[in-house]
Amino acid sequence: MSDSVRMYRIICLKRSIFEHTEDFEYRSDWFKASKLVYWRSHRAGYTDDVNEAGLYFQHELEDCGGKHGDWLLDPVWQTLPF
């Protein structure tokens, strides 16, 4: 038996490089063209490989430091075996 739970990847906005555009409108192709940097598991460094990004439960986000606008959450559904 398995169940799905919502988890989060943390995108580090300070280390990510966003594609330059003259348009200030959000577009998914702009987001995909940007170089995103993610937090690794257990807040142990950074990676630009989405497959190496840590997955965090909502209650774990309370332990994540930073100032306003330092990071962005990327929600994902994760299947967990029970």
PDB file of all heavy atoms in Angstrom, residues 47-76:
ATOM      1  N   THR A  47      22.324  22.583  -5.127  1.00  0.00           N
ATOM      2  CA  THR A  47      22.534  21.886  -6.391  1.00  0.00           C
ATOM      3  C   THR A  47      21.676  22.532  -7.464  1.00  0.00           C
ATOM      4  O   THR A  47      20.595  23.050  -7.169  1.00  0.00           O
ATOM      5  CB  THR A  47      22.193  20.384  -6.278  1.00  0.00           C
ATOM      6  OG1 THR A  47      22.452  19.767  -7.529  1.00  0.00           O
ATOM      7  CG2 THR A  47      20.752  20.151  -5.868  1.00  0.00           C
ATOM      8  N   ASP A  48      22.164  22.483  -8.708  1.00  0.00           N
ATOM      9  CA  ASP A  48      21.326  22.951  -9.810  1.00  0.00           C
ATOM     10  C   ASP A  48      20.661  21.774 -10.535  1.00  0.00           C
ATOM     11  O   ASP A  48      19.980  21.954 -11.530  1.00  0.00           O
ATOM     12  CB  ASP A  48      22.118  23.825 -10.788  1.00  0.00           C
ATOM     13  CG  ASP A  48      23.292  23.104 -11.416  1.00  0.00           C
ATOM     14  OD1 ASP A  48      23.524  21.922 -11.107  1.00  0.00           O
ATOM     15  OD2 ASP A  48      23.993  23.735 -12.216  1.00  0.00           O
ATOM     16  N   ASP A  49      20.832  20.576 -10.009  1.00  0.00           N
ATOM     17  CA  ASP A  49      20.202  19.369 -10.557  1.00  0.00           C
ATOM     18  C   ASP A  49      18.927  19.074  -9.756  1.00  0.00           C
ATOM     19  O   ASP A  49      18.992  18.734  -8.568  1.00  0.00           O
ATOM     20  CB  ASP A  49      21.180  18.194 -10.464  1.00  0.00           C
ATOM     21  CG  ASP A  49      20.635  16.924 -11.085  1.00  0.00           C
ATOM     22  OD1 ASP A  49      19.418  16.842 -11.375  1.00  0.00           O
ATOM     23  OD2 ASP A  49      21.434  15.990 -11.275  1.00  0.00           O
ATOM     24  N   VAL A  50      17.786  19.199 -10.405  1.00  0.00           N
ATOM     25  CA  VAL A  50      16.505  18.998  -9.719  1.00  0.00           C
ATOM     26  C   VAL A  50      16.416  17.599  -9.100  1.00  0.00           C
ATOM     27  O   VAL A  50      15.757  17.404  -8.071  1.00  0.00           O
ATOM     28  CB  VAL A  50      15.320  19.279 -10.672  1.00  0.00           C
ATOM     29  CG1 VAL A  50      15.231  18.222 -11.756  1.00  0.00           C
ATOM     30  CG2 VAL A  50      14.014  19.382  -9.912  1.00  0.00           C
ATOM     31  N   ASN A  51      17.101  16.615  -9.681  1.00  0.00           N
ATOM     32  CA  ASN A  51      17.073  15.246  -9.151  1.00  0.00           C
ATOM     33  C   ASN A  51      17.875  15.103  -7.856  1.00  0.00           C
ATOM     34  O   ASN A  51      17.714  14.122  -7.134  1.00  0.00           O
ATOM     35  CB  ASN A  51      17.590  14.268 -10.194  1.00  0.00           C
ATOM     36  CG  ASN A  51      16.714  14.248 -11.423  1.00  0.00           C
ATOM     37  OD1 ASN A  51      15.493  14.132 -11.331  1.00  0.00           O
ATOM     38  ND2 ASN A  51      17.321  14.407 -12.583  1.00  0.00           N
ATOM     39  N   GLU A  52      18.755  16.053  -7.572  1.00  0.00           N
ATOM     40  CA  GLU A  52      19.536  16.043  -6.332  1.00  0.00           C
ATOM     41  C   GLU A  52      18.945  16.962  -5.268  1.00  0.00           C
ATOM     42  O   GLU A  52      19.473  17.056  -4.168  1.00  0.00           O
ATOM     43  CB  GLU A  52      20.975  16.459  -6.626  1.00  0.00           C
ATOM     44  CG  GLU A  52      21.725  15.499  -7.514  1.00  0.00           C
ATOM     45  CD  GLU A  52      23.120  15.980  -7.861  1.00  0.00           C
ATOM     46  OE1 GLU A  52      23.515  17.068  -7.395  1.00  0.00           O
ATOM     47  OE2 GLU A  52      23.818  15.271  -8.600  1.00  0.00           O
ATOM     48  N   ALA A  53      17.849  17.624  -5.618  1.00  0.00           N
ATOM     49  CA  ALA A  53      17.213  18.545  -4.671  1.00  0.00           C
ATOM     50  C   ALA A  53      16.569  17.771  -3.525  1.00  0.00           C
ATOM     51  O   ALA A  53      16.035  16.677  -3.723  1.00  0.00           O
ATOM     52  CB  ALA A  53      16.149  19.374  -5.389  1.00  0.00           C
ATOM     53  N   GLY A  54      16.634  18.348  -2.347  1.00  0.00           N
ATOM     54  CA  GLY A  54      15.985  17.737  -1.192  1.00  0.00           C
ATOM     55  C   GLY A  54      14.480  17.912  -1.262  1.00  0.00           C
ATOM     56  O   GLY A  54      13.981  18.860  -1.857  1.00  0.00           O
ATOM     57  N   LEU A  55      13.768  16.978  -0.663  1.00  0.00           N
ATOM     58  CA  LEU A  55      12.315  17.088  -0.535  1.00  0.00           C
ATOM     59  C   LEU A  55      11.994  17.280   0.934  1.00  0.00           C
ATOM     60  O   LEU A  55      12.467  16.524   1.787  1.00  0.00           O
ATOM     61  CB  LEU A  55      11.632  15.840  -1.086  1.00  0.00           C
ATOM     62  CG  LEU A  55      11.729  15.647  -2.591  1.00  0.00           C
ATOM     63  CD1 LEU A  55      11.134  14.300  -2.995  1.00  0.00           C
ATOM     64  CD2 LEU A  55      11.040  16.775  -3.328  1.00  0.00           C
ATOM     65  N   TYR A  56      11.201  18.279   1.231  1.00  0.00           N
ATOM     66  CA  TYR A  56      10.909  18.662   2.604  1.00  0.00           C
ATOM     67  C   TYR A  56       9.418  18.580   2.886  1.00  0.00           C
ATOM     68  O   TYR A  56       8.595  18.968   2.054  1.00  0.00           O
ATOM     69  CB  TYR A  56      11.374  20.102   2.858  1.00  0.00           C
ATOM     70  CG  TYR A  56      12.862  20.276   2.742  1.00  0.00           C
ATOM     71  CD1 TYR A  56      13.464  20.524   1.518  1.00  0.00           C
ATOM     72  CD2 TYR A  56      13.668  20.183   3.864  1.00  0.00           C
ATOM     73  CE1 TYR A  56      14.839  20.668   1.409  1.00  0.00           C
ATOM     74  CE2 TYR A  56      15.044  20.334   3.766  1.00  0.00           C
ATOM     75  CZ  TYR A  56      15.619  20.571   2.531  1.00  0.00           C
ATOM     76  OH  TYR A  56      16.975  20.718   2.430  1.00  0.00           O
ATOM     77  N   PHE A  57       9.088  18.054   4.074  1.00  0.00           N
ATOM     78  CA  PHE A  57       7.707  18.095   4.546  1.00  0.00           C
ATOM     79  C   PHE A  57       7.405  19.511   5.026  1.00  0.00           C
ATOM     80  O   PHE A  57       8.306  20.278   5.369  1.00  0.00           O
ATOM     81  CB  PHE A  57       7.510  17.119   5.721  1.00  0.00           C
ATOM     82  CG  PHE A  57       7.575  15.678   5.321  1.00  0.00           C
ATOM     83  CD1 PHE A  57       8.717  14.937   5.578  1.00  0.00           C
ATOM     84  CD2 PHE A  57       6.498  15.060   4.699  1.00  0.00           C
ATOM     85  CE1 PHE A  57       8.783  13.601   5.232  1.00  0.00           C
ATOM     86  CE2 PHE A  57       6.562  13.726   4.343  1.00  0.00           C
ATOM     87  CZ  PHE A  57       7.706  12.995   4.606  1.00  0.00           C
ATOM     88  N   GLN A  58       6.123  19.846   5.076  1.00  0.00           N
ATOM     89  CA  GLN A  58       5.725  21.193   5.482  1.00  0.00           C
ATOM     90  C   GLN A  58       6.258  21.554   6.869  1.00  0.00           C
ATOM     91  O   GLN A  58       6.751  22.661   7.080  1.00  0.00           O
ATOM     92  CB  GLN A  58       4.206  21.323   5.461  1.00  0.00           C
ATOM     93  CG  GLN A  58       3.734  22.727   5.799  1.00  0.00           C
ATOM     94  CD  GLN A  58       2.242  22.880   5.662  1.00  0.00           C
ATOM     95  OE1 GLN A  58       1.543  21.974   5.200  1.00  0.00           O
ATOM     96  NE2 GLN A  58       1.735  24.015   6.057  1.00  0.00           N
ATOM     97  N   HIS A  59       6.205  20.627   7.814  1.00  0.00           N
ATOM     98  CA  HIS A  59       6.667  20.942   9.167  1.00  0.00           C
ATOM     99  C   HIS A  59       8.180  21.182   9.217  1.00  0.00           C
ATOM    100  O   HIS A  59       8.677  21.859  10.111  1.00  0.00           O
ATOM    101  CB  HIS A  59       6.252  19.850  10.164  1.00  0.00           C
ATOM    102  CG  HIS A  59       6.966  18.550   9.981  1.00  0.00           C
ATOM    103  ND1 HIS A  59       6.510  17.572   9.120  1.00  0.00           N
ATOM    104  CD2 HIS A  59       8.111  18.075  10.524  1.00  0.00           C
ATOM    105  CE1 HIS A  59       7.336  16.551   9.165  1.00  0.00           C
ATOM    106  NE2 HIS A  59       8.325  16.824  10.001  1.00  0.00           N
ATOM    107  N   GLU A  60       8.932  20.644   8.250  1.00  0.00           N
ATOM    108  CA  GLU A  60      10.380  20.864   8.211  1.00  0.00           C
ATOM    109  C   GLU A  60      10.734  22.277   7.744  1.00  0.00           C
ATOM    110  O   GLU A  60      11.825  22.777   8.019  1.00  0.00           O
ATOM    111  CB  GLU A  60      11.055  19.853   7.284  1.00  0.00           C
ATOM    112  CG  GLU A  60      10.995  18.428   7.795  1.00  0.00           C
ATOM    113  CD  GLU A  60      11.586  17.454   6.799  1.00  0.00           C
ATOM    114  OE1 GLU A  60      11.110  17.393   5.643  1.00  0.00           O
ATOM    115  OE2 GLU A  60      12.544  16.753   7.196  1.00  0.00           O
ATOM    116  N   LEU A  61       9.823  22.927   7.061  1.00  0.00           N
ATOM    117  CA  LEU A  61      10.083  24.278   6.560  1.00  0.00           C
ATOM    118  C   LEU A  61      10.234  25.287   7.694  1.00  0.00           C
ATOM    119  O   LEU A  61      10.879  26.318   7.530  1.00  0.00           O
ATOM    120  CB  LEU A  61       8.968  24.719   5.609  1.00  0.00           C
ATOM    121  CG  LEU A  61       8.796  23.844   4.366  1.00  0.00           C
ATOM    122  CD1 LEU A  61       7.588  24.313   3.569  1.00  0.00           C
ATOM    123  CD2 LEU A  61      10.053  23.840   3.526  1.00  0.00           C
ATOM    124  N   GLU A  62       9.661  24.976   8.849  1.00  0.00           N
ATOM    125  CA  GLU A  62       9.791  25.860  10.008  1.00  0.00           C
ATOM    126  C   GLU A  62      11.243  25.996  10.456  1.00  0.00           C
ATOM    127  O   GLU A  62      11.619  26.998  11.056  1.00  0.00           O
ATOM    128  CB  GLU A  62       8.931  25.344  11.159  1.00  0.00           C
ATOM    129  CG  GLU A  62       7.453  25.341  10.842  1.00  0.00           C
ATOM    130  CD  GLU A  62       6.627  24.642  11.899  1.00  0.00           C
ATOM    131  OE1 GLU A  62       7.175  24.293  12.971  1.00  0.00           O
ATOM    132  OE2 GLU A  62       5.428  24.454  11.661  1.00  0.00           O
ATOM    133  N   ASP A  63      12.077  25.011  10.162  1.00  0.00           N
ATOM    134  CA  ASP A  63      13.483  25.034  10.553  1.00  0.00           C
ATOM    135  C   ASP A  63      14.384  25.686   9.510  1.00  0.00           C
ATOM    136  O   ASP A  63      15.594  25.775   9.706  1.00  0.00           O
ATOM    137  CB  ASP A  63      13.987  23.608  10.813  1.00  0.00           C
ATOM    138  CG  ASP A  63      13.256  22.953  11.969  1.00  0.00           C
ATOM    139  OD1 ASP A  63      12.872  23.672  12.908  1.00  0.00           O
ATOM    140  OD2 ASP A  63      13.075  21.730  11.925  1.00  0.00           O
ATOM    141  N   CYS A  64      13.812  26.114   8.397  1.00  0.00           N
ATOM    142  CA  CYS A  64      14.602  26.714   7.317  1.00  0.00           C
ATOM    143  C   CYS A  64      14.731  28.219   7.547  1.00  0.00           C
ATOM    144  O   CYS A  64      13.735  28.915   7.681  1.00  0.00           O
ATOM    145  CB  CYS A  64      13.950  26.453   5.963  1.00  0.00           C
ATOM    146  SG  CYS A  64      13.880  24.705   5.551  1.00  0.00           S
ATOM    147  N   GLY A  65      15.958  28.674   7.612  1.00  0.00           N
ATOM    148  CA  GLY A  65      16.208  30.087   7.839  1.00  0.00           C
ATOM    149  C   GLY A  65      16.155  30.895   6.559  1.00  0.00           C
ATOM    150  O   GLY A  65      15.884  30.392   5.485  1.00  0.00           O
ATOM    151  N   GLY A  66      16.426  32.158   6.708  1.00  0.00           N
ATOM    152  CA  GLY A  66      16.447  33.063   5.568  1.00  0.00           C
ATOM    153  C   GLY A  66      15.642  34.306   5.858  1.00  0.00           C
ATOM    154  O   GLY A  66      14.927  34.387   6.855  1.00  0.00           O
ATOM    155  N   LYS A  67      15.790  35.256   4.991  1.00  0.00           N
ATOM    156  CA  LYS A  67      15.040  36.498   5.102  1.00  0.00           C
ATOM    157  C   LYS A  67      13.972  36.512   4.035  1.00  0.00           C
ATOM    158  O   LYS A  67      13.974  35.688   3.121  1.00  0.00           O
ATOM    159  CB  LYS A  67      15.983  37.690   4.924  1.00  0.00           C
ATOM    160  CG  LYS A  67      17.014  37.777   6.020  1.00  0.00           C
ATOM    161  CD  LYS A  67      17.870  38.978   5.825  1.00  0.00           C
ATOM    162  CE  LYS A  67      18.921  39.024   6.932  1.00  0.00           C
ATOM    163  NZ  LYS A  67      19.797  40.151   6.803  1.00  0.00           N
ATOM    164  N   HIS A  68      13.096  37.468   4.105  1.00  0.00           N
ATOM    165  CA  HIS A  68      12.006  37.582   3.135  1.00  0.00           C
ATOM    166  C   HIS A  68      12.538  37.560   1.711  1.00  0.00           C
ATOM    167  O   HIS A  68      13.421  38.327   1.358  1.00  0.00           O
ATOM    168  CB  HIS A  68      11.230  38.878   3.382  1.00  0.00           C
ATOM    169  CG  HIS A  68      10.128  39.090   2.407  1.00  0.00           C
ATOM    170  ND1 HIS A  68       8.977  38.351   2.445  1.00  0.00           N
ATOM    171  CD2 HIS A  68      10.026  39.916   1.357  1.00  0.00           C
ATOM    172  CE1 HIS A  68       8.194  38.734   1.457  1.00  0.00           C
ATOM    173  NE2 HIS A  68       8.807  39.691   0.784  1.00  0.00           N
ATOM    174  N   GLY A  69      12.037  36.642   0.915  1.00  0.00           N
ATOM    175  CA  GLY A  69      12.420  36.567  -0.487  1.00  0.00           C
ATOM    176  C   GLY A  69      13.670  35.764  -0.777  1.00  0.00           C
ATOM    177  O   GLY A  69      14.163  35.781  -1.895  1.00  0.00           O
ATOM    178  N   ASP A  70      14.211  35.049   0.204  1.00  0.00           N
ATOM    179  CA  ASP A  70      15.422  34.251  -0.019  1.00  0.00           C
ATOM    180  C   ASP A  70      15.151  32.972  -0.788  1.00  0.00           C
ATOM    181  O   ASP A  70      16.013  32.484  -1.498  1.00  0.00           O
ATOM    182  CB  ASP A  70      16.086  33.872   1.306  1.00  0.00           C
ATOM    183  CG  ASP A  70      16.893  35.003   1.898  1.00  0.00           C
ATOM    184  OD1 ASP A  70      17.005  36.054   1.257  1.00  0.00           O
ATOM    185  OD2 ASP A  70      17.415  34.812   3.006  1.00  0.00           O
ATOM    186  N   TRP A  71      13.971  32.385  -0.610  1.00  0.00           N
ATOM    187  CA  TRP A  71      13.689  31.129  -1.269  1.00  0.00           C
ATOM    188  C   TRP A  71      12.234  31.028  -1.695  1.00  0.00           C
ATOM    189  O   TRP A  71      11.384  31.765  -1.236  1.00  0.00           O
ATOM    190  CB  TRP A  71      14.113  29.926  -0.444  1.00  0.00           C
ATOM    191  CG  TRP A  71      13.840  29.914   1.026  1.00  0.00           C
ATOM    192  CD1 TRP A  71      14.677  30.337   2.006  1.00  0.00           C
ATOM    193  CD2 TRP A  71      12.686  29.407   1.713  1.00  0.00           C
ATOM    194  NE1 TRP A  71      14.121  30.133   3.246  1.00  0.00           N
ATOM    195  CE2 TRP A  71      12.894  29.561   3.096  1.00  0.00           C
ATOM    196  CE3 TRP A  71      11.497  28.845   1.297  1.00  0.00           C
ATOM    197  CZ2 TRP A  71      11.952  29.180   4.052  1.00  0.00           C
ATOM    198  CZ3 TRP A  71      10.560  28.456   2.244  1.00  0.00           C
ATOM    199  CH2 TRP A  71      10.815  28.626   3.606  1.00  0.00           C
ATOM    200  N   LEU A  72      12.004  30.104  -2.591  1.00  0.00           N
ATOM    201  CA  LEU A  72      10.697  29.856  -3.173  1.00  0.00           C
ATOM    202  C   LEU A  72      10.419  28.365  -3.069  1.00  0.00           C
ATOM    203  O   LEU A  72      11.329  27.550  -3.258  1.00  0.00           O
ATOM    204  CB  LEU A  72      10.719  30.295  -4.645  1.00  0.00           C
ATOM    205  CG  LEU A  72       9.483  30.075  -5.491  1.00  0.00           C
ATOM    206  CD1 LEU A  72       8.378  31.040  -5.054  1.00  0.00           C
ATOM    207  CD2 LEU A  72       9.830  30.325  -6.956  1.00  0.00           C
ATOM    208  N   LEU A  73       9.187  27.993  -2.785  1.00  0.00           N
ATOM    209  CA  LEU A  73       8.827  26.577  -2.664  1.00  0.00           C
ATOM    210  C   LEU A  73       8.272  26.042  -3.980  1.00  0.00           C
ATOM    211  O   LEU A  73       7.469  26.699  -4.636  1.00  0.00           O
ATOM    212  CB  LEU A  73       7.788  26.380  -1.570  1.00  0.00           C
ATOM    213  CG  LEU A  73       8.234  26.748  -0.164  1.00  0.00           C
ATOM    214  CD1 LEU A  73       7.085  26.582   0.810  1.00  0.00           C
ATOM    215  CD2 LEU A  73       9.418  25.911   0.258  1.00  0.00           C
ATOM    216  N   ASP A  74       8.713  24.859  -4.330  1.00  0.00           N
ATOM    217  CA  ASP A  74       8.223  24.141  -5.500  1.00  0.00           C
ATOM    218  C   ASP A  74       7.497  22.901  -4.983  1.00  0.00           C
ATOM    219  O   ASP A  74       8.140  21.917  -4.607  1.00  0.00           O
ATOM    220  CB  ASP A  74       9.410  23.758  -6.397  1.00  0.00           C
ATOM    221  CG  ASP A  74       8.993  23.020  -7.652  1.00  0.00           C
ATOM    222  OD1 ASP A  74       7.814  23.106  -8.038  1.00  0.00           O
ATOM    223  OD2 ASP A  74       9.867  22.364  -8.249  1.00  0.00           O
ATOM    224  N   PRO A  75       6.153  22.933  -4.913  1.00  0.00           N
ATOM    225  CA  PRO A  75       5.429  21.785  -4.355  1.00  0.00           C
ATOM    226  C   PRO A  75       5.437  20.592  -5.308  1.00  0.00           C
ATOM    227  O   PRO A  75       5.312  20.755  -6.527  1.00  0.00           O
ATOM    228  CB  PRO A  75       4.009  22.326  -4.163  1.00  0.00           C
ATOM    229  CG  PRO A  75       3.892  23.476  -5.081  1.00  0.00           C
ATOM    230  CD  PRO A  75       5.267  24.025  -5.303  1.00  0.00           C
ATOM    231  N   VAL A  76       5.614  19.413  -4.755  1.00  0.00           N
ATOM    232  CA  VAL A  76       5.586  18.167  -5.524  1.00  0.00           C
ATOM    233  C   VAL A  76       4.810  17.121  -4.731  1.00  0.00           C
ATOM    234  O   VAL A  76       4.799  17.146  -3.504  1.00  0.00           O
ATOM    235  CB  VAL A  76       7.012  17.636  -5.830  1.00  0.00           C
ATOM    236  CG1 VAL A  76       7.767  18.589  -6.724  1.00  0.00           C
ATOM    237  CG2 VAL A  76       7.787  17.384  -4.575  1.00  0.00           C
TER     238      VAL A  76
END
